[in-house]
Amino acid sequence: MENWKIKLISYFSIVALTYFLQKKFKIFQILFQILILPFSIFFVVFAIGIPFLILQMHLLIYFALCFFIPSVFFQLYEYLQYPPINIQLKVYVILSFSVICSVVFQKQIKYIVHTFSPARLKTSEKLRPYKIGELSDYLLSESNIKFLVFIIYFVIIVCVNFYNFQNLSYYDSEKIDKAVLQSFVTYIAFDRIISNLKQVEFKPSEMVKKMKNSIFNKMEQLDNINK
């Protein structure tokens, strides 16, 4: 890379010269296209990579918001000087609460991500052809979020077990490893509750209505007896 400044200036000078010459002489058009080939390749790669980069950014922001909620809670807990809790419980609560929030508040968190997205989904004309909003809606759907959470836990559990079977600790101590594993067990139990809840026909409002009717029927029966 010796004399790179001179080479770079020479390159741009030749590109500029061929740009003006190719307007008058067609033979220079091929030479001009060859000279700007690196820029053409970069532009194509950049154009293709934009939606992937933005979607990855949305995904990172989504999970960052999920972890932000319990983290703020613990900061407030420590600020109020409540009895201290150990790191294992802290890891367990933050992980469990974060993944549960990612499912329970999926629509709200996705709305925040889209509202404050650096891609400016509603105003950016340059990104409008990509339809980033639709792609992000699909990526951050409830089913996909659940799937990603299971993948993340799967990778973590494989790593933790690999170290534990070697009598080692993946994190600072085996207690933290256990906290991570227990948070996954908690999430599985939560996921099963949600899945079964969708199949259950029980509705609190309907139950209250039936109880009111039963009570009124009993009161009406007592009134008839007294008469």
Side-chain angles (χ1 to χ4, degrees):
M1 295 299 292
E2 295 180 359
N3 302 321
W4 66 271
K5 292 183 179 179
I6 297 175
K7 294 178 181 178
L8 192 63
I9 294 174
S10 300
Y11 169 75
F12 282 109
S13 299
I14 295 173
V15 170
L17 179 62
T18 54
Y19 172 75
F20 291 107
L21 290 176
Q22 59 102 17
K23 292 184 176 180
K24 295 183 179 180
F25 306 100
K26 292 184 178 180
I27 191 172
F28 286 97
Q29 290 181 354
I30 299 176
L31 179 60
F32 177 73
Q33 294 297 328
I34 294 174
L35 290 172
I36 66 169
L37 183 61
F39 294 98
S40 301
I41 294 175
F42 174 79
F43 177 78
V44 171
V45 172
F46 182 74
I48 294 175
I50 282 178
F52 293 99
L53 291 174
I54 294 177
L55 290 177
Q56 288 181 14
M57 190 182 304
H58 283 188
L59 194 61
L60 289 174
I61 295 174
Y62 185 95
F63 282 106
L65 289 172
C66 294
F67 279 92
F68 176 77
I69 299 173
S71 298
V72 170
F73 169 78
F74 275 107
Q75 290 294 330
L76 180 62
Y77 183 89
E78 293 175 357
Y79 175 78
L80 296 175
Q81 297 182 348
Y82 285 119
I85 59 176
N86 58 40
I87 186 64
Q88 294 83 9
L89 179 58
K90 191 173 183 179
V91 169
Y92 169 76
V93 173
I94 288 179
L95 277 178
S96 301
F97 194 82
S98 298
V99 293
I100 290 174
C101 281
S102 69
V103 176
V104 174
F105 302 110
Q106 179 262 339
K107 293 182 180 179
Q108 292 79 1
I109 297 175
K110 183 175 69 174
Y111 175 80
I112 295 174
V113 171
H114 287 179
T115 302
F116 297 98
S117 171
R120 296 179 290 115
L121 301 182
K122 296 182 179 180
T123 59
S124 178
E125 293 296 333
K126 293 182 180 179
L127 296 177
R128 192 178 298 276
Y130 289 108
K131 297 182 179 179
I132 300 296
E134 295 182 11
L135 293 174
S136 185
D137 278 333
Y138 177 77
L139 177 65
L140 301 180
S141 64
E142 182 179 343
S143 58
N144 286 342
I145 292 297
K146 285 184 177 181
F147 181 69
L148 288 172
V149 169
F150 275 109
I151 289 179
I152 293 171
Y153 266 125
F154 173 77
V155 173
I156 293 176
I157 289 174
V158 169
C159 294
V160 169
N161 286 333
F162 179 83
Y163 274 77
N164 288 343
F165 291 146
Q166 297 291 327
N167 295 321
L168 300 172
S169 177
Y170 183 74
Y171 293 98
D172 293 338
S173 67
E174 292 184 2
K175 292 182 178 179
I176 297 180
D177 292 350
K178 184 178 179 181
V180 174
L181 296 177
Q182 290 301 316
S183 70
F184 177 59
V185 174
T186 302
Y187 177 74
I188 292 177
F190 167 77
D191 183 67
R192 295 308 302 167
I193 291 173
I194 296 299
S195 299
N196 292 329
L197 188 62
K198 294 179 180 179
Q199 301 175 2
V200 174
E201 297 181 355
F202 178 80
K203 296 180 180 179
S205 59
E206 187 68 23
M207 187 64 186
V208 172
K209 182 179 178 181
K210 291 182 179 295
M211 290 183 66
K212 287 172 60 178
N213 290 335
S214 65
I215 293 172
F216 288 151
N217 290 336
K218 183 60 179 179
M219 296 297 292
E220 185 177 353
Q221 182 185 32
L222 293 174
D223 289 340
N224 293 333
I225 295 174
N226 293 328
K227 291 179 181 180

